[in-house]
Amino acid sequence: AQTVTQSQPEMSVQEAETVTLSCTYDTSESDYYLFWYKQPPSRQMILVIRQEAYKQQNATENRFSVNFQKAAKSFSLKISDSQLGDAAMYFCAYRSIGSQGNLIFGKGTKLSVKP
Amino acid sequence: NAGVTQTPKFQVLKTGQSMTLQCAQDMNHEYMSWYRQDPGMGLRLIHYSVGAGITDQGEVPNGYNVSRSTTEDFPLRLLSAAPSQTSVYFCASSYSPTHSTDTQYFGPGTRLTVL
């Protein structure tokens, strides 16, 4: 069975600085999808970025980018120019190609942004 | 287009009571699912459905029932609530979960407390 591990329960960053959130996963599959979700205090789950395992190029979405290391089974999220609105729980998630859409989540990292 | 809606937003039950958490989507999505979120545990899959009349169990299905009589609705039933079911429940839906660019949309969540 696949597992997702987020080893940093909490992180803190100064406004305008850069922070990296870590995620590792365990799988025997060669093709899969990886995601980062943001959950602000409102509880709403918001998709931040996705990565297809067959793509070598790291995904980017504005200030958010990933460092995808397939051999190391690592999928970190980098947030550049951090803003107060980035403060939230961040969840890493894995989805098998044949899972019919089911997501496997890590336990989350709580990010605080200091003004 | 309301997206994914969940009712109620908050609920308090006594042990042994039954209730149904409602989930509806107006995006004609085939895939729908229920997750529970507990502190320090991330989100865990309870049940999912890949279309009307088709449901299957996820990681933590015990104590919950589901049915899918229409594409739009996917209710989650607690037949005899237990304190261990105190959690935040999220419903999610997507159009084509096996496609690489598919996005899962989450509802706003229901916070359930069982006394």
Side-chain angles (χ1 to χ4, degrees):
Chain A
Q2 295 83 18
T3 59
V4 177
T5 303
Q6 294 180 248
S7 58
Q8 306 151 317
E10 296 187 21
M11 292 282 287
S12 181
V13 64
Q14 205 72 32
E15 195 176 6
E17 297 295 308
T18 296
V19 64
T20 298
L21 309 184
S22 300
C23 173
T24 58
Y25 57 94
D26 188 27
T27 184
S28 59
E29 300 172 333
S30 59
D31 259 343
Y32 45 86
Y33 307 119
L34 296 165
F35 306 85
W36 279 99
Y37 280 88
K38 171 185 178 181
Q39 186 181 46
S42 67
R43 257 186 0 216
Q44 184 68 49
M45 294 289 287
I46 303 165
L47 178 64
V48 175
I49 200 165
R50 84 173 84 227
Q51 175 80 42
E52 291 90 344
Y54 60 85
K55 290 187 178 179
Q56 294 187 348
Q57 186 174 6
N58 290 326
T60 62
E61 287 287 344
N62 300 315
R63 297 182 295 107
F64 299 88
S65 62
V66 298
N67 183 4
F68 173 49
Q69 302 288 329
K70 190 173 183 180
K73 296 179 183 175
S74 172
F75 183 60
S76 60
L77 175 69
K78 185 172 83 171
I79 306 175
S80 304
D81 185 26
S82 296
Q83 301 176 358
L84 295 177
D86 294 334
M89 283 291 290
Y90 286 82
F91 292 96
C92 180
Y94 173 102
R95 193 180 91 201
S96 296
I97 295 289
S99 73
Q100 299 179 313
N102 303 335
L103 294 168
I104 300 170
F105 285 89
K107 294 183 178 182
T109 296
K110 183 177 182 180
L111 178 67
S112 302
V113 181
K114 297 179 181 178
Chain B
N1 190 330
V4 180
T5 58
Q6 290 183 238
T7 56
K9 285 186 170 53
F10 302 93
Q11 183 71 49
V12 179
L13 291 178
K14 294 182 180 179
T15 296
Q17 286 185 317
S18 63
M19 81 158 296
T20 299
L21 306 185
Q22 300 291 346
C23 174
Q25 51 88 12
D26 60 359
M27 297 174 281
N28 199 32
H29 286 170
E30 290 297 322
Y31 174 88
M32 296 185 74
S33 58
W34 279 101
Y35 292 86
R36 61 177 287 173
Q37 182 180 18
D38 301 299
M41 293 294 294
L43 280 76
R44 293 180 292 169
L45 183 67
I46 305 172
H47 285 285
Y48 67 98
S49 169
V50 296
I54 306 169
T55 63
D56 206 346
Q57 296 180 351
E59 179 186 355
V60 288
N62 292 341
Y64 307 95
N65 282 348
V66 292
S67 60
R68 183 98 178 267
S69 56
T70 67
T71 299
E72 294 77 19
D73 301 297
F74 191 44
L76 179 70
R77 298 184 185 86
L78 286 71
L79 297 180
S80 179
S84 61
Q85 294 178 305
T86 293
S87 189
V88 179
Y89 292 84
F90 288 95
C91 180
S93 76
S94 68
Y95 179 71
S96 178
T98 55
H99 194 277
S100 63
T101 60
D102 184 73
T103 297
Q104 285 205 29
Y105 295 86
F106 283 82
T110 295
R111 180 177 292 278
L112 175 66
T113 301
V114 183
L115 303 175

